[in-house]
Amino acid sequence: MPDPGLSPLPAHLPAAAARLGADVLDRALTGPATEAPAPEAAPRWIPGGPSGLGTATVSFTRPAPPPVPDGLPGPAAPAPEAAPAAEGRPIPGLYFHPVPDPDPARVDEVSRRIKDWALDEVELYPEEWEGQFDGFSVGRYMVACHPDAPTVDHVMLATRLMVAENAVDDCYCEDHGGSPIGLGGRLLMAHTALDPLHTTTEYAPAWAESLGSDAPRRAYRSAMEYFVRAASPSQSDRFRHDMARLHMGYLAEAAWSETGHMPEVWEYLAMRQFNNFRPCPTITDTVGGYELPADLHARPEMQRVIALAGNATTIVNDLYSYTKELSSPGVHLNLPVVLAEREKLSERDAYLKAIEVHNDLMHAFEAAAAEVAATFAVPTALRFLKGVATWVDGNHYWHQTNTFRYSLPDFW
């Protein structure tokens, strides 16, 4: 039965209703957007600001609320990260919203706890990978993305899942022994750590034992156990669905690698809608300690908002990790590489056009969010929209400031 608190407006949204939704969001999400300064002769395709429904009056800058105290005893332990947060350099011409530095005490505590979990609970990595783990700066990442989390325990729900997802990506697909060959079987077995196997009593023990057979499965199982205890059944199933989407995207990219296929630009963007950050912002309500009702989450309008947020944040990753990926062996697909090949552009022009694609996705995300706010102006929907937008901003902040991992190409 629909939530009686929902009062959807007609499908053809009147202009007055759109303005109402914009005003509602503007009260909740205030502050100026930023476009990183571009060089004087900026390419004509880099847009100058937001456009579309509601964006004339809606800003999605999310000043982080002060975190709720966690009652941590004594002074916080030093963060185990490889280096202090750096300002970094935003990509010229990129449309983004700056955020304040995340609360340092909370960053320290999340960083300490996640390293303890990785080492002691799931034995995630060998000693020689410690520097890479520290350089990932996942504590700073997750605190920046979830400033409204009531406690460190809530932030840890997202942090464990983020680390587990990266372990699967690195160990199954990418840097640390990953390969497209046989990936489907590995991902399916790992997915059963999130979506458990229901089988006969004869064969259940062998499956249960398999969940501890490698680091990615140990991490998935443990992170999901923590998440399920805090989330509702609907939120847990939503996350499983989005992880299945993620794994399907991994498989598409792996198939192209095996066959040597260079996708068309639209094909690449379709793959990236699945192989992207979507599972992270979609749990923003669980991490925030509330729930967006399942029927509202499933609305096609809300699904569009979530998809556009995932797509925009993933192109941010393509842009900031561009030089890192170019230095790795083989052809690593990212949007500038595909644009250069398929549209016969120079490396520089392809990179600059990828900025345009990102900016278009961001403007579409903000317009779609404003329309949903106008249509479903209820507190949980508005808070969820704000949480997703905050995740988008925190994701950019982490990419910009993580100079341990990323550096920009010399295109300006």
Side-chain angles (χ1 to χ4, degrees):
M1 177 180 295
D3 187 324
L6 301 182
S7 302
L9 298 172
H12 300 291
L13 194 67
R19 286 195 298 273
L20 170 64
D23 291 343
V24 169
L25 272 184
D26 214 23
R27 286 196 296 271
L29 318 173
T30 56
T34 296
E35 186 170 333
E40 187 173 342
R44 62 179 175 79
W45 58 69
I46 296 181
S51 60
L53 175 63
T55 53
T57 55
V58 174
S59 170
F60 276 78
T61 300
R62 274 70 52 179
V68 177
D70 295 290
L72 301 176
E81 300 186 18
E87 285 298 321
R89 177 190 176 199
I91 294 170
L94 193 76
Y95 176 72
F96 70 97
H97 299 276
V99 299
D101 289 335
D103 176 61
R106 183 166 279 199
V107 170
D108 289 351
E109 182 64 10
V110 172
S111 299
R112 182 189 67 79
R113 290 194 196 184
I114 193 60
K115 194 164 186 178
D116 287 348
W117 175 79
L119 291 174
D120 300 336
E121 291 192 44
V122 298
E123 299 177 358
L124 187 67
Y125 59 86
E127 184 177 349
E128 57 267 26
W129 294 4
E130 184 174 7
Q132 294 177 56
F133 184 86
D134 293 346
F136 192 72
S137 302
V138 68
R140 183 158 49 89
Y141 192 178
M142 292 296 94
V143 175
C145 287
H146 297 284
D148 70 332
T151 68
V152 166
D153 286 339
H154 285 81
V155 182
M156 286 298 299
L157 299 174
T159 309
R160 292 186 201 92
L161 289 170
M162 170 63 79
V163 169
E165 290 157 28
N166 276 273
V168 169
D169 190 25
D170 284 348
C171 296
Y172 285 3
C173 309
E174 298 276 358
D175 302 334
H176 297 297
S179 167
I181 300 170
L183 179 60
R186 295 192 298 275
L187 282 178
L188 178 62
M189 293 303 106
H191 194 81
T192 68
L194 307 172
D195 197 350
L197 177 64
H198 301 280
T199 188
T200 65
T201 54
E202 180 180 0
Y203 297 107
W207 163 73
E209 184 178 359
S210 77
L211 298 181
S213 62
D214 63 16
R217 275 183 271 191
R218 291 193 298 272
Y220 261 5
R221 178 184 61 182
S222 175
M224 193 64 181
E225 286 174 350
Y226 280 101
F227 185 77
V228 167
R229 288 198 291 269
S232 73
S234 175
Q235 288 171 316
S236 298
D237 201 54
R238 178 206 306 174
F239 178 74
R240 293 186 188 102
H241 188 186
D242 280 345
M243 289 301 292
R245 285 181 164 120
L246 175 66
H247 294 157
M248 186 161 60
Y250 286 171
L251 292 174
E253 187 171 16
W256 291 343
S257 176
E258 285 195 275
T259 61
H261 175 64
M262 175 60 68
E264 299 289 346
V265 176
W266 71 265
E267 290 179 309
Y268 177 79
L269 292 172
M271 181 273 290
R272 277 309 234 172
Q273 180 161 312
F274 293 84
N275 179 2
N276 78 5
F277 285 113
R278 182 186 178 121
C280 303
T282 201
I283 65 171
T284 188
D285 55 338
T286 307
V287 180
Y290 67 100
E291 181 173 8
L292 177 71
D295 58 343
L296 187 49
H297 173 265
R299 295 283 307 189
E301 304 96 325
M302 187 68 80
Q303 288 293 300
R304 174 170 167 78
V305 170
I306 298 167
L308 286 167
N311 293 348
T313 55
T314 302
I315 302 307
V316 164
N317 180 262
D318 276 13
L319 292 166
Y320 277 98
S321 65
Y322 176 73
T323 57
K324 177 176 178 283
E325 292 175 351
L326 283 185
S327 66
S328 61
V331 176
H332 194 114
L333 289 183
N334 58 49
L335 184 57
V337 167
V338 175
L339 283 165
E341 177 66 25
R342 286 301 188 182
E343 299 191 0
K344 306 305 178 188
L345 300 173
S346 68
E347 289 184 357
R348 178 183 183 273
D349 286 349
Y351 189 91
L352 296 177
K353 187 167 184 184
I355 296 172
E356 172 203 357
V357 173
H358 165 270
N359 291 354
D360 286 349
L361 289 168
M362 278 288 289
H363 301 329
F365 159 67
E366 294 186 351
E371 186 167 0
V372 171
T375 309
F376 304 104
V378 294
T380 52
L382 295 177
R383 185 174 179 189
F384 184 81
L385 291 169
K386 181 177 180 179
V388 172
T390 299
W391 202 96
V392 170
D393 295 345
N395 177 73
H396 174 268
Y397 167 88
W398 176 79
H399 279 86
Q400 176 193 326
T401 60
N402 196 331
T403 54
F404 177 86
R405 289 173 62 88
Y406 304 123
S407 60
L408 299 186
D410 186 20
F411 289 153
W412 297 276

